[in-house]
Amino acid sequence: MKVLKFGGTSVANAQNITLVKNIVSDVDADQTIVVVSAFGGITDLLLQTADFAASQDLRYKTVLKEIEDRHIDTIKKLIPINKQSKALSKIKSDLNTLETLLEGAYLIGEITPRLSDKIVSYGELLSSYSIAEFFAEQQLDAVYRDSRDFIKTNDLNGKAVVDTNATNKLCKEILGETKSKVIVVPGFIASSINGNSTTLGRGGSDFTAALIAAALDAEVLEIWTDVSGMYTANPKIVKQAHAIPHISYEEAMELSHFGAKVLYPPTIQPVLTKGISIHIKNTFDPESAGTLITKNRTEKGKTVRGITHVENIALLSLEGPGMVGIPGISKRFFEVLSLHDISVVLITQASSEHSICVGISDSDIEKAVEIVNQAFEYEIEREKIWPVIAERNLAIIALVGDNMKSHQGLSGKMFSTLGRNNVNIRAIAQGASERNISAVIKKEDVKKALNALHEEFFEENVKQLNLFVMGVGNVGSKFLNQIQQQRKYLKENLKLNIRVIGISNSRNMVFDEDGISLKNWEDVLKDGEKADKALFFNKINQLNYRNSIFVDNTASDDVASTYASYLKNSISVVTCNKIACSSNYTNYIDLKNLAREYNAPFLFETNVGAGLPIIDTLKHLIASGDKVLKIQAVLSGSLNFVFNNFNDKTTFHDVVKQAQEEGYTEPDPKIDLSGIDVMRKILILARESGNRLDIEDIGNTPFLPEESLATTTNEDFFSSLKKYEASFQEMYKAAADTDSKLKYVAQFEDGKASVGLQHIPKGHDFYNLEGSDNIVLFYTERYPNQPMIIKGAGAGADVTASGIFADIIRIGNF
Ligand code: ADP
Ligand code: ASP
Ligand code: MG
């Protein structure tokens, strides 16, 4: 004999009930007991209609009508029209009784726990009756039995306690004597010794099935639901979660106690005593293996078996100098809570005995504060104990696994993962069984914490990076294309899963929590909402994803000024925008400190030399104890392009124009030609070498005439270049006469930095610098005479995009 229980979703409508029938017909057993829940959502509707009635709100009728329609519609779909009348009239008569009960509650304006249980029991009564009728109609040799006749409880409505002896005896008598092949039974509902309807708690149909399985020594208890087993974490919150193939009773109990709703916690006890295994299966995917729960699991598997969470938790802390060394304080504390039926989910006590802290359900907190303060009134008045402190809006997350006790370092790994993701831990408890390590965190951090822990413990080191990209011009669009091309490779080879969750340009912005398709992001962005920098930040912050990265591909001051708010929320920042790092020193250093404090990298490799690994190399040199003595560099791809192409056969004006047209200059070419851009770059290198410098400290002897520098439009600028062509030619000639080339050089030595045009003689490292290439010479204590040289393309959208990409990967490996 087997007991199969089908949950709310499995019986939510006629179509699903047909799947249930197929599963039941295929069962290989002499007899099958089918325990069913109310149709999905009906229990909630019943509670809602009861609430409305009790507060004399006529909307109870609308909800009741909805309940009625669902049932009638289902019967009409399940049973052929010529045979419907019996089932329909029974259902209508039950609904009439229900209506009478609700009218009573409406008139009195009140509802007792007993009436509430009675009302809510109609969910399972109606579903089980309908299903039994359908099975019989489908020639399944099925009968209906009312569980109120054999599941017995005490009289505590709402929190009824099962009378196991009476239940066992009656199950054997009533079900044991029923010979039909299939017996359909309502879950969740029971009756007291006095004959009143009671219920077994939300989710209690699982428990009904377990009680029957234990009483009748079933071969197996199958829990059929809407997921393929007990998962490594709640699959609604953690997309990567997967079913655990085999698990012990104790592990399953711990997981369900700490929030794995797929199994109602009391379910395990009755079958555990009898050694009956539980098999969790998916009604919508009967072929998948599901989860087997038995005494000992054979499979070795992981130490951590699952990660669960309980929401709506509050912490209650009792503290005070009078607690130290005084026996009995904890006893009184727990006694008063238990006296008022407040159950304690988690306990921590500091070894100093200075405080006790317990986690309880948030709905109990007001009452708890009142009764605990009352219980310790004497001590509070004498300032031996402080009034109890309550903290709300919290949640518990727990790691569960039988073998955790024999493994060191799991809690360390758990807490460092949470810390890295900026999840603040309010309290910690390790169950005495050591099958569970729990932490209390803020409710809004649950999703991030679960996903981060799941990644750490279950995902073979695949790390998910969540990108929010601002600016999709030349560089930004190349960057998105590169991600699209490399995504598969990164996942397979570097175990990095990169998702772009948000994109914004100056007009529109768009978000997709599952990741924006990079094949058609342009179209998606076009249809996005109006761009707004503050809303963009708010959205990222509110999504609260682990490993969130804000990517700034703009050149905007406004965007640069938002970095601090990102970093403060543990959102990493990757940018090719030089403004922040070349702004005043305090701002630069504050951002670097925030990055450290909030564990959120702030990377800007592309600020100098586009994709060349200049800053990263410098960082490695310094970190490994080297010291920078001198930096000499050609850092402007645009100026290099200009001076490589300018000679006595061209005009300076035309070359600059060409550089602008080919995208080698900033939109305002004066930023490059005045040397500002190079000043910013050498400033950043000097700072990254550990020097305190500001832009005003950098020497700059301009080669442009003052008049050109003073222009305010590009047009005026270009005409002034024409006007001064003769002086540019002189500049060229002076260099050519000494066999030298003109190069715009940045230099840093002895704490001083300068930029300017120089004559570079043949044989110098800079002499043969091609096109828009950059070169940097680092003279350091380890490289005093022969400098370390980094050279290569230092401008262009493609290489800049790849530099940003490299920073993202650095964060992935962080
Ligand atoms: P039923 O109505 O079939 O009893 P429940 O809604 O009570 O189903 O339980 C199944 C649901 O439990 C799943 O849809 C899932 O959202 C939730 N759940 C939470 N944690 C877990 C977990 N660790 N494994 C599987 N399901 C879980
Ligand atoms: N129908 C009840 C509930 O929704 C019992 C159950 O589904 O297990 O809580
Ligand atoms: Mg359930």
Side-chain angles (χ1 to χ4, degrees), residues 296-539:
N296 295 312
R297 59 179 159 95
T298 45
E299 181 210 16
K300 286 266 179 294
K302 297 216 170 254
T303 323
V304 178
R305 307 286 290 160
I307 307 167
T308 43
H309 75 287
V310 192
E311 281 187 8
N312 301 323
I313 290 289
L315 275 185
L316 197 62
S317 312
L318 193 66
E319 291 180 20
M323 287 176 65
V324 186
I326 312 280
I329 299 264
S330 331
K331 178 167 171 274
R332 281 167 59 201
F333 183 56
F334 288 109
E335 241 167 32
V336 65
L337 292 174
S338 112
L339 210 66
H340 289 84
D341 270 338
I342 296 177
S343 64
V344 170
V345 196
L346 167 144
I347 308 170
T348 60
Q349 177 165 27
S351 56
S352 69
E353 296 183 52
H354 192 71
S355 71
I356 316 171
C357 177
V358 297
I360 62 177
S361 163
D362 195 72
S363 55
D364 287 333
I365 191 73
E366 274 156 20
K367 188 163 146 211
V369 169
E370 189 189 317
I371 55 167
V372 173
N373 281 342
Q374 249 168 34
F376 290 95
E377 202 176 0
Y378 178 86
E379 288 86 351
I380 293 173
E381 260 175 25
R382 282 158 189 74
E383 297 189 354
K384 292 199 179 314
I385 286 180
W386 315 132
V388 72
I389 303 164
E391 267 179 89
R392 309 187 67 166
N393 296 321
L394 301 172
I396 297 178
I397 42 169
L399 296 189
V400 172
D402 271 346
N403 297 333
M404 290 193 350
K405 54 178 171 282
S406 49
H407 276 78
Q408 265 106 35
L410 289 176
S411 46
K413 200 162 158 189
M414 173 179 184
F415 300 130
S416 65
T417 304
L418 294 176
R420 243 192 348 266
N421 286 282
N422 206 31
V423 174
N424 193 15
I425 299 168
R426 288 293 308 112
I428 295 170
Q430 177 149 18
S433 66
E434 294 190 51
R435 198 173 280 124
N436 168 332
I437 310 172
S438 327
V440 180
I441 62 172
K442 279 194 286 193
K443 202 157 96 184
E444 68 249 32
D445 283 338
V446 162
K447 189 171 173 191
K448 176 158 77 172
L450 283 177
N451 279 283
L453 291 173
H454 196 270
E455 196 167 81
E456 186 69 36
F457 288 99
F458 291 103
E459 289 173 36
E460 305 293 343
N461 298 329
V462 169
K463 190 166 179 179
Q464 185 166 301
L465 302 178
N466 297 299
L467 267 47
F468 298 87
V469 179
M470 187 168 280
V472 282
N474 267 347
V475 173
S477 53
K478 288 254 156 56
F479 169 64
L480 292 177
N481 290 345
Q482 290 180 5
I483 297 185
Q484 199 213 333
Q485 277 163 20
Q486 276 308 94
R487 200 152 45 186
K488 192 157 170 268
Y489 173 89
L490 292 175
K491 200 162 179 184
E492 284 166 8
N493 295 282
L494 295 188
K495 304 277 178 230
L496 290 178
N497 179 15
I498 300 191
R499 308 189 313 161
V500 177
I501 310 288
I503 301 182
S504 176
N505 59 13
S506 53
R507 294 173 301 282
N508 293 352
M509 62 183 192
V510 69
F511 294 92
D512 185 338
E513 297 185 23
D514 295 323
I516 297 170
S517 154
L518 294 183
K519 286 202 189 89
N520 61 339
W521 63 266
E522 280 109 332
D523 297 334
V524 179
L525 182 61
K526 236 180 263 152
D527 298 335
E529 54 192 296
K530 193 169 169 293
D532 181 317
K533 290 184 194 71
L535 292 183
F536 195 71
F537 165 75
N538 287 347
K539 178 77 184 187

Side-chain angles (χ1 to χ4, degrees), residues 151 202 239-240 288 313 356 760 787:
I151 308 281
R202 293 306 306 269
K239 292 225 164 62
Q240 324 288 341
S288 74
I313 290 289
I356 316 171
I760 300 295

Side-chain angles (χ1 to χ4, degrees), residues 578 607-608 635-636 677-685:
K578 289 183 262 301
N607 279 6
V608 182
L635 293 173
S636 170
D677 186 61
V678 179
M679 283 166 80
R680 286 179 179 158
K681 289 173 176 163
I682 192 72
L683 175 68
I684 295 171
L685 291 186

